Amino acid sequence: QVQLVESGGGLVQAGGSLRLSCTASGPTFSRYAMGWFRQAPGKEREFVAAISWSGGNTAYADSVKGRSTISRDNAKNTMTLQMNDLKPEDTAVYYCAAERTWYSGRYYYSVDDYDYWGQGTQVTVSS
């Protein structure tokens, strides 16, 4: 079982950048597909980005595509989300998620696909 801890959230002005990190415990991090999701007040949790356990395949929500980069370092059990040109509508609690998979190139878009979640980190973008 993997445990996830997010960090790097905070308050930033529109147009600024943040780098979110997710640190995982457990010896088999490299066999987990990983994802970032976010949830704004009164809204459902939504997909932001995902990465396969090989790191070779990635996917992004249209809302962040071109402004964000997801990456991972399996040797350090970490995943990051670099977010640039932040907008007020990016304000949300950001969660990292993990799902064990046999397939090195697989990633997942849906909340229901992930079994493991972190506690979240708040991102607030002021206008």
XYZ file of all heavy atoms in Angstrom, residues 69-118:
422
model
N 3.180 20.906 -16.468
C 4.007 19.755 -16.819
C 4.039 18.800 -15.642
O 4.377 19.192 -14.516
C 5.440 20.190 -17.145
O 5.425 21.126 -18.218
C 6.274 18.979 -17.546
N 3.679 17.548 -15.909
C 3.736 16.513 -14.893
C 4.993 15.683 -15.122
O 5.370 15.416 -16.266
C 2.467 15.631 -14.918
C 2.428 14.681 -13.734
C 2.337 14.883 -16.240
C 1.097 13.932 -13.598
N 5.641 15.292 -14.032
C 6.845 14.480 -14.140
C 6.974 13.629 -12.888
O 6.257 13.847 -11.902
C 8.079 15.372 -14.320
O 8.247 16.238 -13.207
N 7.879 12.669 -12.932
C 8.104 11.813 -11.771
C 9.543 11.384 -11.729
O 10.227 11.312 -12.754
C 7.168 10.605 -11.801
C 7.424 9.633 -12.933
C 6.327 8.572 -13.000
N 6.317 7.717 -11.820
C 5.283 6.953 -11.481
N 4.187 6.956 -12.211
N 5.353 6.177 -10.417
N 9.986 11.070 -10.520
C 11.322 10.540 -10.285
C 11.140 9.283 -9.445
O 10.945 9.361 -8.228
C 12.186 11.579 -9.563
C 13.629 11.121 -9.394
O 13.877 9.902 -9.412
O 14.493 11.980 -9.222
N 11.166 8.141 -10.086
C 10.904 6.885 -9.371
C 11.983 6.566 -8.354
O 11.724 5.888 -7.359
C 10.748 5.750 -10.365
C 9.453 5.830 -11.151
O 8.501 6.505 -10.737
N 9.403 5.177 -12.299
N 13.190 7.040 -8.570
C 14.265 6.797 -7.607
C 14.024 7.553 -6.302
O 14.501 7.140 -5.242
C 15.605 7.200 -8.200
N 13.294 8.669 -6.390
C 13.028 9.487 -5.202
C 11.590 9.374 -4.725
O 11.182 10.069 -3.800
C 13.347 10.950 -5.506
C 14.807 11.214 -5.806
C 15.075 12.688 -6.054
C 16.551 12.938 -6.328
N 16.826 14.375 -6.590
N 10.800 8.515 -5.375
C 9.393 8.333 -4.995
C 8.619 9.649 -5.014
O 7.808 9.912 -4.119
C 9.274 7.687 -3.606
C 9.478 6.188 -3.649
O 10.019 5.657 -4.613
N 9.074 5.501 -2.594
N 8.865 10.451 -6.016
C 8.188 11.734 -6.087
C 7.573 11.976 -7.457
O 8.046 11.458 -8.480
C 9.144 12.900 -5.783
O 10.233 12.871 -6.710
C 9.667 12.834 -4.368
N 6.511 12.749 -7.438
C 5.857 13.209 -8.650
C 5.655 14.710 -8.501
O 5.412 15.186 -7.383
C 4.507 12.527 -8.828
C 3.705 13.062 -10.007
S 2.086 12.303 -10.181
C 1.245 12.839 -8.708
N 5.783 15.449 -9.573
C 5.610 16.888 -9.489
C 4.651 17.386 -10.564
O 4.449 16.733 -11.589
C 6.941 17.636 -9.646
O 7.500 17.324 -10.931
C 7.922 17.249 -8.565
N 4.064 18.530 -10.290
C 3.230 19.224 -11.260
C 3.690 20.676 -11.276
O 3.484 21.407 -10.302
C 1.760 19.139 -10.892
C 0.804 19.820 -11.872
C 0.778 19.059 -13.207
C -0.609 19.910 -11.286
N 4.337 21.063 -12.355
C 4.753 22.445 -12.538
C 3.620 23.182 -13.232
O 3.201 22.783 -14.326
C 6.021 22.504 -13.382
C 6.479 23.911 -13.731
C 6.991 24.668 -12.516
O 7.693 24.100 -11.682
N 6.632 25.945 -12.415
N 3.124 24.224 -12.595
C 2.014 24.988 -13.151
C 2.457 26.425 -13.388
O 2.937 27.089 -12.460
C 0.807 24.942 -12.220
C 0.270 23.551 -11.977
S -1.313 23.571 -11.140
C -0.848 24.328 -9.597
N 2.279 26.890 -14.605
C 2.680 28.245 -14.991
C 1.457 29.036 -15.441
O 0.404 28.462 -15.733
C 3.704 28.181 -16.124
C 4.937 27.400 -15.742
O 5.446 27.509 -14.628
N 5.422 26.581 -16.670
N 1.637 30.336 -15.514
C 0.564 31.221 -15.967
C -0.745 30.894 -15.245
O -1.794 30.681 -15.870
C 0.382 31.096 -17.492
C -0.556 32.152 -18.047
O -0.700 33.215 -17.406
O -1.148 31.904 -19.127
N -0.670 30.845 -13.944
C -1.837 30.454 -13.157
C -2.955 31.479 -13.268
O -2.713 32.689 -13.392
C -1.436 30.257 -11.698
C -0.690 28.950 -11.428
C 0.082 29.013 -10.126
C -1.657 27.783 -11.422
N -4.172 30.980 -13.209
C -5.369 31.790 -13.338
C -6.232 31.620 -12.086
O -6.142 30.580 -11.419
C -6.160 31.357 -14.569
C -5.350 31.349 -15.858
C -6.156 30.782 -16.998
C -5.334 30.602 -18.255
N -4.709 31.847 -18.729
N -7.073 32.607 -11.796
C -7.943 32.461 -10.616
C -8.778 31.183 -10.651
O -9.040 30.593 -9.587
C -8.825 33.710 -10.693
C -7.961 34.731 -11.363
C -7.172 33.949 -12.376
N -9.154 30.728 -11.820
C -9.958 29.502 -11.913
C -9.149 28.245 -11.605
O -9.716 27.151 -11.529
C -10.604 29.379 -13.305
C -9.660 29.543 -14.467
C -9.637 30.963 -15.010
O -9.660 31.926 -14.210
O -9.580 31.101 -16.256
N -7.845 28.377 -11.417
C -7.031 27.243 -10.975
C -7.101 27.057 -9.458
O -6.562 26.080 -8.932
C -5.565 27.447 -11.370
C -5.357 27.406 -12.871
O -5.966 26.548 -13.539
O -4.568 28.241 -13.381
N -7.737 27.973 -8.771
C -7.867 27.881 -7.322
C -8.644 26.630 -6.934
O -9.763 26.409 -7.408
C -8.573 29.126 -6.769
O -7.743 30.278 -7.005
C -8.835 28.984 -5.274
N -8.032 25.804 -6.093
C -8.642 24.534 -5.686
C -7.702 23.840 -4.710
O -6.549 24.253 -4.536
C -8.883 23.640 -6.901
N -8.200 22.783 -4.124
C -7.337 21.844 -3.407
C -6.854 20.813 -4.427
O -7.668 20.235 -5.161
C -8.074 21.152 -2.251
C -7.158 20.134 -1.571
C -8.577 22.187 -1.246
N -5.558 20.622 -4.475
C -4.952 19.702 -5.437
C -4.567 18.411 -4.717
O -3.909 18.443 -3.663
C -3.738 20.346 -6.088
C -4.115 21.355 -7.148
C -4.696 22.562 -6.795
C -3.923 21.087 -8.500
C -5.074 23.485 -7.762
C -4.295 22.002 -9.477
C -4.864 23.198 -9.101
O -5.242 24.111 -10.062
N -4.960 17.299 -5.329
C -4.716 15.984 -4.766
C -3.854 15.157 -5.711
O -4.068 15.191 -6.930
C -6.019 15.235 -4.569
C -6.982 15.885 -3.609
C -7.924 16.801 -4.058
C -6.963 15.566 -2.249
C -8.815 17.387 -3.177
C -7.851 16.150 -1.367
C -8.770 17.066 -1.835
O -9.657 17.645 -0.965
N -2.932 14.404 -5.150
C -2.265 13.403 -5.976
C -2.897 12.049 -5.697
O -3.462 11.813 -4.622
C -0.765 13.376 -5.749
S -0.201 12.728 -4.176
N -2.835 11.185 -6.680
C -3.466 9.883 -6.609
C -2.569 8.838 -7.264
O -1.770 9.164 -8.154
C -4.832 9.918 -7.311
N -2.733 7.598 -6.809
C -1.906 6.508 -7.327
C -2.759 5.269 -7.567
O -3.726 5.007 -6.829
C -0.783 6.184 -6.337
N -2.387 4.536 -8.585
C -3.074 3.288 -8.904
C -2.058 2.263 -9.373
O -1.291 2.518 -10.314
C -4.131 3.510 -9.982
C -4.853 2.257 -10.413
C -5.673 1.620 -9.287
O -5.912 2.287 -8.266
O -6.079 0.451 -9.462
N -2.050 1.108 -8.715
C -1.138 0.031 -9.103
C -1.530 -0.500 -10.472
O -2.703 -0.723 -10.753
C -1.236 -1.085 -8.065
C -0.210 -2.194 -8.199
C 1.068 -1.837 -7.503
N 1.818 -3.018 -7.088
C 2.666 -3.661 -7.868
N 2.808 -3.280 -9.123
N 3.334 -4.697 -7.409
N -0.534 -0.705 -11.323
C -0.825 -1.246 -12.642
C 0.345 -2.072 -13.133
O 1.496 -1.813 -12.789
C -1.141 -0.119 -13.645
O -1.344 -0.683 -14.944
C 0.014 0.887 -13.737
N 0.050 -3.066 -13.938
C 1.080 -3.908 -14.534
C 1.660 -3.291 -15.789
O 2.700 -3.731 -16.285
C 0.495 -5.273 -14.898
C 0.105 -6.076 -13.711
C -1.155 -6.347 -13.278
C 0.984 -6.721 -12.782
N -1.112 -7.113 -12.140
C 0.179 -7.365 -11.833
C 2.380 -6.827 -12.687
C 0.715 -8.088 -10.772
C 2.915 -7.561 -11.633
C 2.086 -8.180 -10.690
N 0.981 -2.256 -16.303
C 1.331 -1.730 -17.609
C 2.133 -0.447 -17.500
O 1.644 0.550 -16.983
C 0.057 -1.488 -18.429
C -0.805 -2.714 -18.518
C -1.954 -2.850 -17.749
C -0.447 -3.762 -19.362
C -2.726 -3.988 -17.825
C -1.219 -4.903 -19.439
C -2.354 -5.012 -18.661
O -3.120 -6.144 -18.740
N 3.334 -0.447 -18.007
C 4.240 0.679 -17.818
C 3.754 1.951 -18.491
O 4.111 3.051 -18.061
C 5.632 0.321 -18.354
O 5.578 0.095 -19.752
N 2.938 1.808 -19.537
C 2.513 2.976 -20.282
C 1.129 3.469 -19.943
O 0.620 4.416 -20.542
N 0.508 2.849 -18.961
C -0.885 3.145 -18.664
C -1.012 4.320 -17.718
O -0.232 4.468 -16.776
C -1.538 1.911 -18.010
C -3.022 2.009 -17.753
C -3.824 1.844 -19.015
N -5.251 1.964 -18.770
C -6.052 0.955 -18.487
N -5.562 -0.263 -18.398
N -7.336 1.159 -18.285
N -2.046 5.163 -17.949
C -2.427 6.179 -16.982
C -3.941 6.255 -16.963
O -4.619 5.666 -17.799
C -1.802 7.544 -17.301
C -2.026 8.030 -18.705
C -3.249 8.563 -19.099
C -1.019 7.947 -19.650
C -3.464 8.990 -20.396
C -1.210 8.380 -20.944
C -2.434 8.898 -21.315
O -2.635 9.323 -22.601
N -4.471 6.983 -16.007
C -5.910 6.997 -15.767
C -6.417 8.420 -15.617
O -5.734 9.289 -15.076
C -6.247 6.204 -14.503
C -5.744 4.789 -14.536
C -4.505 4.459 -14.011
C -6.505 3.773 -15.118
C -4.035 3.161 -14.054
C -6.036 2.476 -15.161
C -4.805 2.175 -14.629
O -4.338 0.893 -14.682
N -7.654 8.630 -16.102
C -8.274 9.950 -16.063
C -9.305 10.111 -14.958
O -9.594 11.225 -14.536
C -9.025 10.217 -17.375
C -8.186 10.295 -18.602
C -8.019 9.197 -19.430
C -7.604 11.508 -18.977
C -7.274 9.291 -20.587
C -6.863 11.604 -20.143
C -6.704 10.497 -20.936
O -5.981 10.594 -22.090
N -9.880 9.002 -14.538
C -11.073 9.092 -13.693
C -10.736 8.976 -12.219
O -9.858 8.216 -11.821
C -12.048 7.980 -14.072
O -13.117 7.929 -13.149
N -11.473 9.731 -11.404
C -11.339 9.617 -9.948
C -11.532 8.175 -9.513
O -10.804 7.662 -8.651
C -12.376 10.532 -9.260
C -12.456 10.239 -7.769
C -12.032 12.005 -9.483
N -12.466 7.495 -10.132
C -12.806 6.134 -9.733
C -11.715 5.124 -10.063
O -11.738 3.997 -9.561
C -14.111 5.705 -10.404
C -15.295 6.510 -9.918
O -15.232 7.055 -8.791
O -16.288 6.618 -10.662
N -10.779 5.493 -10.897
C -9.701 4.572 -11.276
C -8.599 4.489 -10.224
O -7.772 3.585 -10.287
C -9.073 5.008 -12.597
C -9.977 4.746 -13.784
O -10.759 3.779 -13.731
O -9.892 5.514 -14.763
N -8.569 5.430 -9.301
C -7.463 5.512 -8.354
C -7.886 5.017 -6.971
O -8.931 5.386 -6.452
C -6.966 6.957 -8.229
C -6.232 7.438 -9.462
C -6.911 8.056 -10.506
C -4.852 7.275 -9.576
C -6.243 8.491 -11.632
C -4.169 7.710 -10.697
C -4.874 8.324 -11.727
O -4.206 8.755 -12.845
N -7.030 4.210 -6.375
C -7.307 3.661 -5.051
C -6.656 4.453 -3.930
O -7.092 4.364 -2.788
C -6.804 2.212 -4.974
C -7.714 1.254 -5.713
O -8.910 1.574 -5.869
O -7.236 0.188 -6.133
N -5.593 5.201 -4.234
C -4.825 5.855 -3.178
C -4.780 7.353 -3.429
O -4.525 7.794 -4.557
C -3.403 5.287 -3.115
C -3.386 3.803 -2.924
C -3.175 2.943 -3.984
C -3.621 3.257 -1.664
C -3.183 1.580 -3.817
C -3.629 1.885 -1.481
C -3.413 1.052 -2.563
O -3.434 -0.296 -2.387
N -4.997 8.103 -2.350
C -5.086 9.555 -2.441
C -4.307 10.218 -1.306
O -4.241 9.689 -0.190
C -6.548 10.005 -2.348
C -7.359 9.569 -3.515
C -7.992 8.370 -3.682
C -7.630 10.330 -4.695
N -8.632 8.335 -4.900
C -8.429 9.529 -5.539
C -7.274 11.609 -5.123
C -8.877 9.970 -6.788
C -7.721 12.048 -6.358
C -8.512 11.238 -7.177
N -3.760 11.382 -1.629
C -3.186 12.211 -0.589
C -4.246 13.074 0.069
O -5.423 13.009 -0.305
